Amino acid sequence: QMTHWHRMGYVIDVAVNMSARLLNDHRIVSLVAEALQQRHVAPSSLILEVTENAMMSDPATAMAVINAISDLGVRISIDDFGTGYSSLSYLKRLPIDELKIDQSFVKNMDTDKNDAAIVMSVIDLGHNLGFKVVAEGVERKEPMRMLRDLGCDTAQGYHISRPMPTAAVAGWLAGPGTLANYV
């Protein structure tokens, strides 16, 4: 699908969730490398999302797999950041490119000062470590505005778009307006 979108002129990145089972199987590295090569997709266009909890079953193997995938040029994202049980030491030991702030903190950040403080802190932490920061679960305009003001790099959620079939994405991208309309 990425190849098709790129041919249409839409150079967009695609994020894929990685299960704990895949993180503990070294064969995934060669499968990802082959898929990228066969489809002529730049590795940096693929973001593999890993939850903190997925790394816990076999941390040594998971770290080796993540490092090998990162060595391919694929970007690594820590999904649902702040809800897992991992140590902050993973943030400095893993080849992470982005942190995704869990929606449980983002959803009501405009009405809950503790959620707002957590979101602000994660954005600052991520940026200070050189990561891109993504906010999940943006469902309303006010949290979107606050995220923009805090310097969050990317947002995702129903305020921007409901899930859609891949065939509808190109039409949505070509539609009227820009993302600025959602802020």
Side-chain angles (χ1 to χ4, degrees):
Q1 188 61 53
M2 288 171 69
T3 302
H4 177 68
W5 286 330
H6 289 183
R7 284 187 192 135
M8 294 176 69
Y10 300 112
V11 181
I12 56 175
D13 302 334
V14 173
V16 178
N17 290 314
M18 241 176 115
S19 71
R21 186 172 54 94
L22 289 176
L23 272 179
N24 293 310
D25 186 345
H26 288 280
R27 294 176 296 180
I28 190 64
V29 178
S30 60
L31 292 173
V32 169
E34 288 172 27
L36 291 168
Q37 184 179 12
Q38 288 173 355
R39 289 164 181 85
H40 307 288
V41 172
S44 61
S45 294
L46 177 61
I47 305 165
L48 293 182
E49 297 182 359
V50 179
T51 63
E52 296 170 79
N53 292 338
M55 293 186 290
M56 293 297 103
S57 64
D58 183 355
T61 300
M63 286 184 71
V65 168
I66 289 170
N67 280 308
I69 289 173
S70 176
D71 288 345
L72 296 173
V74 172
R75 294 174 9 214
I76 305 295
S77 177
I78 300 296
D79 196 11
D80 301 332
F81 182 74
T83 62
Y85 303 103
S86 69
S87 164
L88 289 175
S89 68
Y90 281 116
L91 295 182
K92 67 180 195 174
R93 294 189 313 178
L94 288 172
I96 298 167
D97 297 288
E98 71 179 28
L99 292 179
K100 292 185 80 175
I101 307 170
D102 188 70
Q103 66 180 339
S104 63
F105 305 116
V106 173
K107 198 176 211 177
N108 296 311
M109 65 182 282
D110 60 324
T111 59
D112 184 319
K113 67 179 184 176
N114 292 329
D115 283 347
I118 290 170
V119 170
M120 181 178 66
S121 297
V122 173
I123 291 169
D124 286 344
L125 174 67
H127 287 164
N128 286 330
L129 292 171
F131 305 148
K132 180 178 170 183
V133 180
V134 179
E136 297 180 304
V138 180
E139 297 181 359
R140 296 176 293 107
K141 188 173 189 166
E142 186 57 22
M144 183 76 167
R145 184 197 61 74
M146 291 175 71
L147 289 163
R148 182 200 63 219
D149 292 348
L150 290 171
C152 190
D153 301 297
T154 304
Q156 67 182 59
Y158 290 167
H159 180 65
I160 299 164
S161 174
R162 296 268 180 188
M164 66 182 80
T166 55
V169 172
W172 182 82
L173 290 169
T178 64
L179 192 55
N181 293 339
Y182 298 98
V183 179

